[in-house]
Each structure stands twice: as C-alpha cells, then as structure tokens.
Amino acid sequence: MTPNSLAPPLPLHHMARMADATPRRAAALPLPDTVALVLQGGGALGSYQAGVIEALAEARIEIDWVAGISIGAVNAAIVAGNPPERRLARLQAFWEQATSTLPSFPIPFGDTAREMVHEWSAAMVAFTGVPGFFAPRLIPPALAVPGTPGALSFYDSAPLARTLDSLIDWDLLNTGPVRLSVGAVDIESGNFRYFDTTGERIDARHIMASGALPPGLPPIEIDGRFYWDGGLVSNTPLTHVLDHQSAEMLVFQVDLFPAAAEMPRTIMDVMAREKEIRFSSRTRAISNERMKLRQEREAIRTLLAKLPAELRDDPEVKALEAQADELPVSLVHLIYRANAWEGGSRDFEFSARSMREHWLAGRTAVAETIANAQLVASNILDGKTAAYDLTHR
C-alpha cells in the first residue's frame, strides 16, 4: 500500500489548513491535519456512537472525515450533513424518534429483571418495528410476489428514507468540509463497495444500502445494482480510510462489539458472545493486520536509513523505499462493553432507557481516553504510528 498514490486530491479545507503554520489543538490533544471517525454497525448500539460524537465535539476535536457501516453510516451521514452547531440536535432527534415507542419505566433491581425487560423490549421491536427506521410488512415475504422488495425482507425501510431526508442537508453532506464514506455489498457480485463524497454524490439510498441487513431489511437499488449491509463483509471501514490516507491522521474507531468478554453462563449469554466474536473478529483482524504491516514498513525504513550513501540511489533501494513509505496514524479504539443484562438482542433493543445508557457510555469512553491521552499526544507530535485502547475494561 502506498497511501499517497491511492488518495484522491485533498479537499480545499485541508489544503487551506496545511498552508496555515498554526497546528490545530483540542483541549488535551494536538491534532494532525486529518481526524477521522470510523463507525461500525451494531443497530441499537449506535447510540453509543452518538455519545462519542457529542463528547468529541465538547473536547473540541474537529472531525474531518467520517466513515460508517450500517447504523454507523446513519450517524456518519448526520454528522457530515449538518453544521457543527446542529449535529447534536439532529442526532438526538433520530435516536429519540427511534426509541419513542419503548419509553423508560421503573425496573426492579437486579440483572435478571433487567435482562427480562431487555429481551421483552427487543421482542416488541421484532413485532412493531422502529419508528422512523423500519416497519413490519403486512404480507409475509413467503406470500409476496417473488423478486419484489416484499418477498426479500420482513420489514419495509421506507420510513428511514423519510427520516434521513428530514435530518440531513444533502448538499452540505456532498460539498461541505466533512468527507463521508459508507460501505455496502453488491448482492450479485458479492463485492464490497465504498461510496465516498470525494468521488460521487451520496443520498439516502447509499446510507440505506449500507444498513440493509438481510433478511430483515430489503436490498437497495443504486444505478441498477442492488446492495445489502456492508457488515456482511466487514463491520469496520478502517481499511478504506487507511488506504486513502493523504496526511498524518488520528483515527477514532468506535467498536460496538468487544473482542474479549467473560465465559457465557446462560443460553442468552451464548447468543450475545457469538455475535460479539463474529463482528469483533473482523474488526480486530483488520486493525491488527494494518498495524502489523505499518510496523514492518517502519522497520524497513529504519534499515534503509542505515545504508551507505552510495547505495541510497540504487533503483532497487529506491523502489523498496517507495513501497515502505507511508504517513503516520494514531488509531484510538473506543469499545462498547456490554452490561451483564444485555444478551444477544442488544443490537435491536431500541428502548429509550438503553439508548440513554449507551449514549452515556460513549461519552464516558471519550472522557477516559482524553484523561489518559498522553501517549497519543506524544506519538502525534513525534510522527509515530500506534494503536491504543485507553478505556476502562
């Protein structure tokens, strides 16, 4: 990978910032030219991402590029499609609408009682859908005409199109200062596809395609091709961001499924753990592979620097030097770690209580990261590549 050769031209706001000799700085961090926010899929857990977005804004960490899969694409589009002063209100509007039919009510103490309420709430979503997101079809798919959207999914996602149009300024999203990338899977070819505002105009269809998880939601047609949820192939858009890196970068990757957890004790724990492993393993594999590759290239650059001057101009040395060249990246993981009462239904349990708890957890993760960000700050200043998880386990 040679990031400079893969990257599209820098947006004008980046070029202007590079011409400014004064570096950006947040409350606790020096900021490189590009700050990226990487949001994975996870349904109802996406309110954790909203908490992260709110806390980053409060810490004055300006986002230049936001990339998302599935519910991460929805949150990402709301960020890119609104000016900073309106983003939080629009995020709140989306999540309050989505959780409006399952309001908070008193719950007896204890994880067992909370887990029962949690599973009941998820069952209600299965029967009634999510306001402003998706609704159950009147005719079961088995009875619908083959080939029609009704035959290919249990729910209708048309409400999401109306919600996105009401919350997002599509002109700002496509021409504004925040770059947006969302991923989806071409159903017929099986190939992963990223839609990116640097190369095409994005609208509600692209966001819906990124979150069209079968068999629940229908495929989305874009220019004669049909797409499903990008999480079927990869639940994190980190690869796309690193492949198109064009400047020193700080990446906040928000992981909704932890890789490590305790041994399951119940069948609901088994369902939850299976889902965590299935989604986190892809994210971890991509993150580990990319960071290992960068460490190997750094070792090559260190070795090449020790060569005597008469060898530095050798064509093979020059070729190897070009292959090992890359820009530094600091990768900060913000990982949601579920409560004891959250089972395998946590990603479609859209209750107001859980939404607020996930949102607060996102804010807390950013606060813990900022409070322990000395290493990140040091590496940014030194121009080193490294990955961090600075949140409480």
Side-chain angles (χ1 to χ4, degrees):
M1 179 182 70
T2 53
N4 288 326
S5 65
L6 289 170
L10 284 175
L12 291 178
H13 76 291
H14 284 311
M15 295 175 65
R17 183 176 296 137
M18 291 176 70
D20 186 350
T22 303
R24 297 188 296 170
R25 184 173 182 89
L29 282 173
L31 300 180
D33 184 68
T34 301
V35 177
L37 180 62
V38 174
L39 306 175
Q40 66 173 219
L45 298 176
S47 52
Y48 176 82
Q49 298 171 346
V52 167
I53 293 166
E54 181 182 29
L56 289 176
E58 290 179 357
R60 294 189 289 116
I61 297 177
E62 179 184 349
I63 302 300
D64 305 292
W65 185 357
V66 59
I69 301 289
S70 198
I71 194 64
V74 173
N75 286 327
I78 293 174
V79 169
N82 285 284
E85 66 274 11
R86 200 154 49 202
R87 288 173 190 160
L88 179 57
R90 294 299 170 86
L91 282 169
Q92 288 175 330
F94 173 80
W95 285 101
E96 287 175 0
Q97 180 181 27
T99 59
S100 59
T101 58
L102 293 172
S104 300
F105 51 87
I107 296 177
F109 292 108
D111 288 342
T112 301
R114 183 64 200 272
E115 184 173 0
M116 292 176 60
V117 173
H118 176 76
E119 295 301 330
W120 175 86
S121 297
M124 289 298 294
V125 168
F127 280 110
T128 65
V130 174
F133 200 154
F134 57 85
R137 297 188 182 280
L138 297 178
I139 299 176
L143 301 180
V145 177
T148 64
L152 302 177
S153 64
F154 290 99
Y155 301 92
D156 179 8
S157 61
L160 180 57
R162 296 188 290 270
T163 298
L164 293 173
D165 286 340
S166 69
L167 296 177
I168 294 170
D169 180 340
W170 296 108
D171 288 333
L172 176 64
L173 180 145
N174 284 283
T175 62
V178 179
R179 178 177 179 177
L180 173 68
S181 309
V182 297
V185 179
D186 185 308
I187 297 175
E188 293 177 279
S189 70
N191 293 332
F192 199 91
R193 166 83 185 272
Y194 278 104
F195 302 101
D196 195 303
T197 51
T198 61
E200 57 206 314
R201 183 175 177 83
I202 288 179
D203 57 38
R205 296 172 303 160
H206 303 84
I207 311 305
M208 294 171 66
S210 183
L213 184 63
L217 301 181
I220 301 298
E221 180 183 3
I222 301 173
D223 299 330
R225 307 296 296 181
F226 288 87
Y227 295 91
W228 270 337
D229 192 305
L232 294 176
V233 173
S234 173
N235 204 35
T236 176
L238 179 64
T239 301
H240 179 73
V241 170
L242 295 182
D243 281 349
H244 294 80
Q245 181 183 359
S246 58
E248 293 185 4
M249 182 182 291
L250 169 62
V251 179
F252 291 96
Q253 176 167 283
V254 186
D255 301 331
L256 298 181
F257 297 95
E262 295 180 357
M263 183 69 186
R265 296 185 304 110
T266 68
I267 193 62
M268 296 307 299
D269 292 343
V270 170
M271 294 172 61
R273 189 67 190 127
E274 181 275 332
K275 192 172 292 186
E276 287 175 343
I277 293 173
R278 175 156 42 97
F279 287 113
S280 68
S281 61
R282 300 175 188 173
T283 300
R284 181 173 53 178
I286 291 172
S287 300
N288 290 348
E289 181 267 331
R290 288 310 176 104
M291 298 311 292
K292 181 175 182 292
L293 180 60
R294 285 173 173 267
Q295 291 170 356
E296 293 171 349
R297 287 175 174 165
E298 185 174 346
I300 292 173
R301 293 195 300 271
T302 300
L303 177 62
L304 292 177
K306 296 179 180 179
L307 292 178
E310 60 268 21
L311 292 179
R312 297 300 297 271
D313 292 329
D314 183 278
E316 292 183 352
V317 172
K318 287 290 186 183
L320 182 60
E321 190 175 44
Q323 292 178 10
D325 185 38
E326 63 187 356
L327 295 159
V329 59
S330 294
L331 176 61
V332 177
H333 294 274
L334 299 167
I335 304 173
Y336 177 68
R337 295 180 172 91
N339 297 290
W341 46 263
E342 291 184 278
S345 304
R346 73 184 68 155
D347 54 336
F348 58 95
E349 196 270 87
F350 285 82
S351 71
R353 181 185 298 274
S354 293
M355 180 269 289
R356 288 197 294 269
E357 291 174 347
H358 295 152
W359 192 302
L360 178 60
R363 289 179 53 85
T364 302
V366 173
E368 291 178 346
T369 297
I370 295 299
N372 298 281
Q374 297 89 349
L375 284 175
V376 183
S378 175
N379 269 31
I380 291 173
L381 292 173
D382 294 341
K384 297 180 180 179
T385 287
Y388 308 89
D389 172 13
L390 304 177
T391 57
H392 177 68
R393 292 182 181 276

